Amino acid sequence: MEHISTIEVRYAETDQMGIAHHSSYPIWFEVARTEFIKKAGISYTDVEKQGVITPLTGLECKYKKAAFYEDQLQIHVTLTRLTPVRLEFSYKVTREDELIATGKTSHGMVDKDMKPVNVKKEHPEIYRMFEAVL
């Protein structure tokens, strides 16, 4: 499953030249990832209420072209890897059909004490939901 979120580059996300700052991309990834999970059938809040948190363990972003103030960008997100204790998402940032950036985020699945949780075993309904959109 792919989800596409639309983002308009805000003035606060740009530098003096009107170019979107590199630090904005991870925020856009998070917006798209959050919407993706809701579309899959559960919210981050509901996952956390069940005792599973998904801290970021890795972030990659490759910038291809500049994005500018007021650009309408599409953030494409897919779940590309799932294990009982890890998730990986891939992203493409486009402006119309032009590729602006690509990226990945990796996440652990842990409890409130930051200990790994085998979601497949301890929360099979969450695991099945992620498996269905993989």
Side-chain angles (χ1 to χ4, degrees):
M1 176 179 95
E2 178 184 68
H3 174 73
I4 302 171
S5 296
T6 300
I7 301 283
E8 181 172 338
V9 179
R10 297 170 290 240
Y11 187 79
E13 296 171 323
T14 64
D15 60 20
Q16 190 173 9
M17 298 173 288
I19 298 172
H21 194 266
H22 66 274
S23 64
S24 299
Y25 290 76
I27 296 165
W28 300 339
F29 292 172
E30 180 181 10
V31 168
R33 185 174 63 250
T34 299
E35 290 178 6
F36 174 93
I37 290 172
K38 280 184 185 174
K39 186 177 174 184
I42 195 167
S43 71
Y44 261 133
T45 301
D46 291 336
V47 171
E48 289 177 353
K49 283 179 183 174
Q50 293 185 44
V52 178
I53 56 176
T54 58
L56 187 71
T57 59
L59 169 67
E60 175 185 306
C61 188
K62 295 188 181 194
Y63 307 95
K64 308 292 185 182
K65 295 194 176 214
F68 299 93
Y69 174 57
E70 293 186 332
D71 275 355
Q72 296 291 316
L73 303 177
Q74 294 75 44
I75 316 301
H76 306 249
V77 59
T78 56
L79 178 63
T80 49
R81 185 166 181 253
L82 171 66
T83 75
V85 296
R86 295 192 183 281
L87 298 164
E88 181 181 274
F89 294 90
S90 292
Y91 308 87
K92 285 190 321 185
V93 180
T94 60
R95 178 180 44 231
E96 297 175 3
D97 290 327
E98 182 178 32
L99 183 63
I100 302 297
T102 60
K104 287 184 182 180
T105 58
S106 302
H107 305 263
M109 291 190 277
V110 300
D111 65 17
K112 64 178 174 56
D113 296 320
M114 301 302 282
K115 292 191 166 92
V117 173
N118 183 326
V119 173
K120 186 175 185 177
K121 182 191 247 182
E122 296 179 41
H123 300 277
E125 67 289 347
I126 294 174
Y127 187 86
R128 281 192 302 272
M129 185 268 315
F130 282 126
E131 195 173 42
V133 297
L134 186 62

